[in-house]
Every structure is written in structure tokens, then in C-alpha cells.
Amino acid sequence: MGQQKEIYEYLRSIDCCRVCCLRFLKATKEEFVEAQATIVKRGLEDEQETDENESQPKLKKTKENVCIACLGLFDEGQLSTLANEVKESVEYKRYNCEAGFLTSISLPIALHLRQLALWFELIERFPLAYRPGTPPDIPAKDAVKIIIIHRLEQTLGKPFSVDGVTVNVPFSYATEQAELSKLAGVSPGVFADRKSHKHCRKDFITRNAFEKHFTPSVIDRTAFRKYYPFPPTSCEEERLVRGELTFTGPTIFVAGRYNKLSRALSQTPWVIEGKRLMEESVQETIVAAIAPHFGVSDERLIFSSSGREDVDVRCLGKGRPFVLEIPGAMCDQLPEQTAIEMERNVGSSKTVVIRDLQLVKREDLVNIRGDDADKRKFYRALCVTKSPVTPDTVKLLCTDEPFVVQQVTPLRVLHRRPLLARPRTVYKVRAQPCRDNPHAIVIDIESQAGTYIKELVHGDFGRTTPSFRSIIGAPIDIQALDVMAIDLDWPKSLEREKMH
């Protein structure tokens, strides 16, 4: 306790504010929230007389110079109005988000430089308490976030949440570049390397680069002192300035399943060499019905699905799982009736139907973005043969025994896929002839995700082996293909059909 008070009094004597003193004494989260009470409790200052109606202890008021460590970041005048500004902000009121709020605080790198100068100073004065390899303080950003979050929770009546509206709080420092430029003299090699590296950002120095190259265990204390004083100094004109508050909505994820009923509709916008080949797509049909509710323009939504079907292939059964990533959403709720209306609006297109529309968490996306190797998909293909279909043809095709086919990248997709040989497992095949056409046969296929079904049928000039053509020993081609089911039990079924 004795050395703690000695450190505190020294820091105060060189114009460190009380909160920064607590930072260099490694205060806890709760202690930053109740800074004045902490200082009294730790015996660092004596409590002043307080009114009997006041629950918190008060410290002696003194005229404070600009803090040499935080440059006024923790000034009460700097922080006291922030929470009310957020609450009264017209922009913030536009968001209808129940999850709460998140903070994003931007601080000048010059604060790291000042921390480094104080680090050297404290090592020199208090060698038993501070060491070159261990940061001497709780970072200014962490401490100010603790304080701001506490005040926002009290004022807004909402919790801090990573799924909430982000409150962006920028701070700037007018003479930052002038201060940072001194680092070039301390360690010129760092800046020579940065200039020669084509991937380096154009900033004078980044936060990561500073933390890597400028610590007491990396640079020479004498060289540093030659270019920068420690302890650092400040004056009234040199303080942080808080910029305009801005807000960013949360990223929302909406999942569901879609059926594609048309054989002339691409899954995503089909554009080749800047020219659209189709007016609509599954993605655009779904997005147009969902984006307005979340206050986001259509083009900002990111569409993902568990695989995709060709333009001329329908997707039937329970449908294909999909998810929409919606960044900067204006609301974070999807009421039941709203979801039903969205499903109805998509269904009115007559080409796409969606079901089970629901909000999901980011961590749930592993279901749709995971490895397809273990997923199975079920297809129904209408095929035609040159010769009439015979019982032997059906018998040769039907099997319950899994077999592996080798598929060299099909000719039809070679322009956009690398030339590879892909092994794929076919788990089960069922076939039955068509009554109305002796040359037609319907084949049901259960296969590993990623199997090229059209090529499995006709062989693609021998690029897929074995193929149905090689199995029956006669030409066979595919006339129509449907995806009947996808072996992925996600998202959960909501049984809404009866409500439509």
C-alpha cells in the first residue's frame, strides 16, 4: 500500500489525472466505474466532507492541468455529456434494436507514445513495480470503454451487447503527427522497412507496428529520451477533441429455405462480361422482400446457400437452406407476422417460394458454410435413351451399394472452374421407365454434395467414370433435373404453411 500511494502521488505531481493514476495502478473494471470511491478506499487520497444525501465520496477539487497520459480523455466534461448525447440523438432514435448497444472508440496513436514515455519513467523510478516486458497500465481504450459503457447502460436502460447498435466515438489530437514523427529518429530502420514494403499502409505508423517496435524491451532508453521527454509534457492547447458521434446498426442474419420452381431462373444474378443474361434471380427475389424491413438497400445484403442448382434445374421438397447477412440493420427483430408477409411476397413471384424464415446467430452459419463432404443430396432426373428402355436397363442402374465416380471438371463449367479430378460418392440409385415414352426413364439419385449429376448421367465424353452411360453400355442423356432434398436439418422447421 505504501508504494502504491507513492506511485499515485508521483503521477499526480507530474499531471496525471486520477483515472490515469488508477490505470497505472492496474485498477479493476469496478474500480474504474467508481473511481473516486476507489481512490478513497485504497487510501490514496482523503475523503472530503459530503452531503448526507450523497452516497459517493468526494475528493478535493483542484484545478487540473491537461493529463500528460490521456490528454484529457478522462476529463469529466469530456465524458459526462456523451451518454445524453447518444440518448437524444435523432440518428440513434432511428434504430429499433432491442439487443442493446456496442461501442467503437477511436483514439490517437499518440497516447501509445505517451504511455511509452511514462513506462520508461516508471521503470526508472519504481524498478520493483514496473518492468520492460510487462505493460505498466490498463490501456486507455479499455478504461474509457468501461466508463462509457457503464454510463450508457444507465442512461439508455439497455445492456452492452455485441449484437447491438454500435456507438462510434472518435477522438483526435491536432499535433499527433508532429509527436509521432520523432519516432523516426528513435528507430529509423522501422520506417525504412515500412516505406519499402508495398503492402504497408500509408499511415506514418499503425497501432500494431507501434506496439511491436516501440517498447522498453525493444528500443534503447537513451535514444528515446534524445527525441522525446519522459515524463511527457502537455499544455492546455494540446488535448484530445471528441468528434461527432455516429452509429452503425448491427449485422443481422436471416435464414430460411427456398424452392425454385422455374427452369429459367439463376440462383444469383447471372452476369457475364458485364452483361446480364437474365432479368431476375432467386437471390434478388428473396432480397427484395426482406431488405425493406431492415432498412437496408438490396445490394448490401449478402446471400449464401447450401450449394446451388443450375438455371434449368428446379429445387423442390423442403427446399434449399439459405441465409442473408444484413449489415447495418435498422432493426434487429423479425415479428412472426412480418416473416409470414415476406414469405407471401416471395411466393407471389410464382418462381420462388420460401419457408421457415427466421433470425439466426452468426455462430449458426457453420451449418451452411461447413464442409460439404458429409452432406447428401437427392435428385430426380428425367432421362432419355437412344434405344427403348428395357428391364435390364432398369436393373443395371438400380443399386443400394455406394460407389465412387471420378469427375474431371465438366466441359460446361471449365471456363470458371479449375481443371481437377474430383471423387464423388453415389450412395443409391433407383430407376423406373415412363409409361408414355419407351425411351424415357426416371432416375432417383442419392449422392455426395458436389456431384455433377448431368455428367453422371451422360458421362461428359468420358470425363466422368463410371457414368450411367458406361453402366448400361448405351447412350443416355438428361432432359430435366430436380433437386428433391438436401440432407441438412437447418434452419429449424417452423410449420408455417397452415398460416399462409
Side-chain angles (χ1 to χ4, degrees):
M1 181 65 73
Q3 189 177 42
Q4 193 177 106
K5 186 168 184 178
E6 185 183 353
I7 293 170
Y8 179 83
E9 290 177 345
Y10 173 69
L11 290 172
R12 291 292 285 157
S13 73
I14 59 173
D15 287 334
C16 268
C17 69
R18 288 181 170 112
V19 175
C20 281
C21 290
L22 290 178
R23 291 200 300 114
F24 284 97
L25 293 175
K26 299 291 183 77
T28 64
K29 176 181 177 180
E30 293 73 18
E31 288 178 321
F32 281 118
V33 169
E34 304 292 350
Q36 294 202 23
T38 298
I39 290 169
V40 172
K41 186 176 180 180
R42 286 197 180 197
L44 303 174
E45 288 188 37
D46 295 329
E47 180 181 355
Q48 301 298 300
E49 290 186 8
T50 59
D51 188 282
E52 61 181 11
N53 295 321
E54 294 179 354
S55 59
Q56 297 298 323
K58 282 193 173 182
L59 302 177
K60 182 179 179 181
K61 289 186 177 181
T62 57
K63 186 179 185 306
E64 300 273 343
N65 294 324
V66 176
C67 175
I68 62 170
C70 72
L71 294 169
L73 173 65
F74 295 103
D75 284 1
E76 186 57 29
Q78 185 89 270
L79 299 176
S80 61
T81 61
L82 189 147
N84 278 327
E85 283 183 45
V86 173
K87 185 177 182 180
E88 299 303 323
S89 167
V90 173
E91 185 182 354
Y92 177 74
K93 290 178 180 178
R94 292 173 57 221
Y95 291 91
N96 179 22
C97 296
E98 296 182 4
F101 68 90
L102 183 65
T103 58
S104 175
I105 299 171
S106 174
L107 298 178
I109 298 176
L111 294 189
H112 286 269
L113 177 57
R114 289 173 170 270
Q115 180 237 35
L116 177 60
L118 276 166
W119 195 348
F120 273 121
E121 176 70 5
L122 292 171
I123 289 172
E124 193 172 272
R125 285 186 173 268
F126 305 99
L128 296 179
Y130 300 96
R131 293 178 174 81
T134 305
D137 62 344
I138 302 297
K141 178 176 275 190
D142 292 352
V144 78
K145 282 184 74 171
I146 290 168
I147 295 169
I148 288 175
I149 288 170
H150 174 71
R151 296 188 180 192
L152 285 173
E153 285 182 329
Q154 288 188 318
T155 303
L156 301 179
K158 291 185 176 182
F160 175 84
S161 169
V162 294
D163 297 319
V165 177
T166 300
V167 181
N168 302 295
V169 189
F171 289 89
S172 61
Y173 179 44
T175 59
E176 176 171 54
Q177 292 306 312
E179 280 198 20
L180 293 178
S181 64
K182 298 174 183 178
L183 294 173
V186 178
S187 188
V190 171
F191 298 94
D193 291 343
R194 284 179 58 77
K195 288 178 181 178
S196 65
H197 201 296
K198 64 179 181 180
H199 295 300
C200 270
R201 286 169 49 182
K202 300 303 180 184
D203 307 7
F204 182 78
I205 189 169
T206 63
R207 198 174 310 278
N208 287 340
F210 187 99
E211 292 174 352
K212 177 180 179 181
H213 297 291
F214 293 94
T215 68
S217 58
V218 174
I219 62 174
D220 180 70
R221 180 177 63 181
T222 304
F224 181 75
R225 180 170 251 160
K226 179 180 176 182
Y227 292 94
Y228 198 83
F230 54 87
T233 59
S234 67
C235 65
E236 188 59 34
E237 291 73 28
E238 297 177 355
R239 62 168 60 239
L240 297 190
V241 175
R242 176 159 64 82
E244 181 182 358
L245 297 176
T246 58
F247 305 90
T248 307
T251 297
I252 302 299
F253 298 91
V254 177
R257 287 176 173 267
Y258 76 79
N259 291 115
K260 175 173 165 300
L261 308 180
S262 169
R263 296 195 188 277
L265 185 68
S266 60
Q267 187 198 58
T268 55
W270 194 4
V271 180
I272 296 180
E273 296 181 352
K275 183 179 179 181
R276 283 200 68 139
L277 301 187
M278 290 191 167
E279 291 184 5
E280 298 293 337
S281 67
V282 173
Q283 172 184 320
E284 290 166 304
T285 303
I286 295 173
V287 165
I290 294 175
H293 171 72
F294 294 99
V296 178
S297 59
D298 292 10
E299 59 271 15
R300 292 188 61 193
L301 274 65
I302 301 169
F303 177 90
S304 302
S305 65
S306 179
R308 61 190 301 143
E309 61 284 313
D310 290 340
V311 169
D312 59 351
V313 176
R314 296 186 302 179
C315 183
L316 307 178
K318 289 186 176 180
R320 187 182 297 277
F322 72 90
V323 66
L324 289 175
E325 181 176 341
I326 309 172
M330 299 302 294
C331 70
D332 61 0
Q333 300 299 304
L334 181 58
E336 181 77 4
Q337 191 56 44
T338 301
I340 291 172
E341 286 300 319
M342 290 175 176
E343 293 176 358
R344 285 175 178 161
N345 289 341
V346 172
S348 67
S349 69
K350 306 300 183 183
T351 57
V352 182
V353 173
I354 60 174
R355 57 164 57 85
D356 301 332
L357 209 58
Q358 58 196 273
L359 295 178
V360 296
K361 296 291 186 181
R362 183 185 293 272
E363 52 266 29
D364 294 330
L365 302 193
V366 66
N367 290 289
I368 207 166
R369 295 177 179 172
D371 187 6
D372 277 348
D374 296 328
K375 293 178 183 175
R376 299 188 183 195
K377 298 190 178 180
F378 303 80
Y379 302 88
R380 176 163 291 172
L382 174 62
C383 302
V384 292
T385 57
K386 189 172 184 179
S387 303
V389 175
T390 66
D392 285 342
T393 305
V394 174
K395 185 176 180 180
L396 286 169
L397 288 171
C398 290
T399 180
D400 290 328
E401 294 295 324
F403 62 94
V404 176
V405 298
Q406 296 292 332
Q407 295 196 299
V408 177
T409 305
L411 293 172
R412 64 187 172 92
V413 299
L414 195 54
H415 65 286
R416 55 185 171 88
R417 294 287 173 87
L419 180 61
L420 296 172
R422 299 172 177 84
R424 292 290 185 265
T425 301
V426 177
Y427 297 101
K428 188 176 182 179
V429 180
R430 283 285 179 271
Q432 63 181 53
C434 293
R435 294 178 182 177
D436 300 334
N437 186 340
H439 293 269
I441 184 171
V442 174
I443 306 176
D444 289 319
I445 305 155
E446 178 184 340
S447 70
Q448 181 182 353
T451 304
Y452 290 106
I453 300 299
K454 294 175 181 177
E455 285 68 26
L456 173 65
V457 172
H458 58 63
D460 198 25
F461 301 100
R463 297 168 71 85
T464 290
T465 56
S467 65
F468 292 169
R469 178 187 177 115
S470 67
I471 289 171
I472 67 174
I476 183 172
D477 206 349
I478 190 165
Q479 292 294 301
L481 179 64
D482 291 332
V483 180
M484 303 303 295
I486 294 167
D487 185 23
L488 177 58
D489 189 21
W490 184 89
K492 66 181 180 181
S493 176
L494 299 179
E495 303 296 333
R496 277 199 188 119
E497 287 80 4
K498 60 186 178 183
M499 303 178 69
H500 284 235

